[in-house]
Amino acid sequence: MASNASDTKPCVVCQKPTTKVCPGCKDAPKIAPDEAVFDLHYCSTACQKADWQNHEDHCNKLKQRRILFQAAGIIQSAFYVFSESASARVIVDIVKQDNTITVVEDLSRPRHQIYHPFPNHRIADIDDRNAVLSLDACTMAVAFTTSVAQAALTEIAEDIREVDLEMKVKSHTLKVLQSDGDGGYHLVDFIHEVLRVQLKGGETFCLDIAGAQFGGPLVTPYNNYVMSRTRSILGESKMGSRRDELLSDAKSWFRRSNYDRENYQIRVIDAALALKMDNIVAKWESTAEPGHKLGQMCGLSAEAYGSVRDSFLDSLKSGLEASKAELVEKEVIWRTSDGRVFSTPKLKAFAGTLGTWRRVSPQTNTIALDY
């Protein structure tokens, strides 16, 4: 039984004063200001078992909600790691005034440049940093975190869908100015992609992994999100569809009549990193200590949870950097001393070798590809 030393209440069953609370639903997040979410107090395991028939459904629902919020944080953090590693914009300045973040982008990049170091030194506020990392990246967020989401949500999710939405609400303005003189653009009335997660306990939530670009929350009850933040639902597909589409594009982009070299080379290396990200997740899940898998971390103490989460994110970051080094060794890309990444003539042939599907973990349904 968990304990809340600052909160003594009568035991639900015998009325004896106690600080012990049900560990299953302890600290479950509220999804509405007036929602009655509270810790049920039991003085002993015997009293908890005596009341279990009354409490079971409510406890399981709140436990799944708590796991979802923690899992969503891991998924979004993994996206930020990937987005920083695969940063393609050449950002020369970031300015915040009042509620507007202005990103100044240089379009005079060399023809074969793929990635440019993300300018962390220009952003002091972590929320502003995450907003810029999310800029125009909702497709990447949904597609390339698929393996993380599968592993983190497998024990609580009944169904997960990728949903395309037309947005209408922003909490702040993210503006892009481009150096070619066309004035740049604002993020307004645009198509946005999210995950709709139906939990086994019946609740359905929206996971807006790239929502920081317009000040949106990460986890929101799905119907509330649709009604308050969108104009319309444009379509939905099963989880993994967007990743399949982007990986297929990476292999065949150059065959199209409107072949765009810059977009093509970025897509290929994005795909290569995404495949390695899948493998990193699969390795973590297969070698993790008991309770340390992505979908099981909620059973840990707050301190242990933070430590394990950070360890996973560190392994993800180092793994993506190792993947870039491997691509340099294969002479698919080359890197400058300041971290810029360029393609080589071998990139097109490399794209054709981007691997085939193979299931690596029947327990978590995690899928990985090799290149």
Side-chain angles (χ1 to χ4, degrees), residues 96-142:
K96 185 174 183 180
Q97 184 174 6
D98 298 328
N99 213 32
T100 298
I101 303 171
T102 301
V103 177
V104 183
E105 180 181 5
D106 184 1
L107 297 184
S108 61
R109 58 194 290 156
R111 183 182 182 189
H112 296 288
Q113 183 171 340
I114 300 175
Y115 296 150
H116 191 85
F118 185 78
N120 282 300
H121 63 285
R122 297 188 180 277
I123 311 178
D125 183 83
I126 186 65
D127 292 333
D128 294 346
R129 171 185 178 273
N130 293 341
V132 177
L133 282 171
S134 303
L135 176 60
D136 284 348
C138 59
T139 299
M140 174 192 289
V142 167

Side-chain angles (χ1 to χ4, degrees), residues 19-235:
T19 60
K20 296 177 181 179
V21 297
C22 173
C25 53
K26 183 179 184 294
D27 298 329
K30 286 187 176 184
I31 58 176
D34 58 348
E35 184 183 19
V37 174
F38 48 86
D39 297 334
L40 287 184
H41 285 62
Y42 298 101
C43 67
S44 65
T45 302
C47 281
Q48 183 186 25
K49 288 182 177 179
D51 192 51
W52 185 239
Q53 184 175 357
N54 299 323
H55 181 51
E56 180 178 10
D57 289 345
H58 185 66
C59 181
N60 287 336
K61 181 175 75 172
L62 293 183
K63 180 179 179 180
Q64 288 174 19
R65 185 192 297 178
R66 178 164 54 84
I67 295 173
L68 174 69
F69 274 68
Q70 289 185 326
I74 294 172
I75 295 166
Q76 188 178 59
S77 295
F79 158 63
Y80 292 146
V81 170
F82 187 93
S83 183
E84 182 174 355
S85 182
S87 176
R89 274 193 168 89
V90 181
I91 298 174
V92 297
D93 200 7
I94 299 173
V95 180
K96 185 174 183 180
Q97 184 174 6
D98 298 328
N99 213 32
T100 298
I101 303 171
T102 301
V103 177
V104 183
E105 180 181 5
D106 184 1
L107 297 184
S108 61
R109 58 194 290 156
R111 183 182 182 189
H112 296 288
Q113 183 171 340
I114 300 175
Y115 296 150
H116 191 85
F118 185 78
N120 282 300
H121 63 285
R122 297 188 180 277
I123 311 178
D125 183 83
I126 186 65
D127 292 333
D128 294 346
R129 171 185 178 273
N130 293 341
V132 177
L133 282 171
S134 303
L135 176 60
D136 284 348
C138 59
T139 299
M140 174 192 289
V142 167
F144 295 153
T145 61
T146 297
S147 58
V148 181
Q150 285 176 327
L153 299 173
T154 184
E155 295 192 4
I156 60 170
E158 184 72 27
D159 185 53
I160 306 175
R161 296 284 168 170
E162 300 171 356
V163 184
D164 295 337
L165 304 165
E166 183 183 8
M167 303 299 292
K168 67 178 181 181
V169 174
K170 305 184 301 302
S171 299
H172 60 231
T173 299
L174 191 58
K175 182 171 62 175
V176 179
L177 296 179
Q178 298 174 327
S179 61
D180 63 353
D182 69 357
Y185 59 91
H186 289 70
L187 291 177
V188 292
D189 295 339
F190 61 100
I191 297 175
H192 188 57
E193 296 177 56
V194 300
L195 293 180
R196 187 188 72 206
V197 181
Q198 179 184 343
L199 300 179
K200 294 177 180 178
E203 293 185 312
T204 303
F205 290 89
C206 172
L207 263 61
D208 192 354
I209 305 170
Q213 63 186 300
F214 48 86
L218 172 56
V219 184
T220 309
Y222 183 75
N223 288 339
N224 291 358
Y225 186 94
V226 171
M227 293 176 62
S228 64
R229 305 188 70 84
T230 74
R231 297 188 187 280
S232 62
I233 299 174
L234 302 177

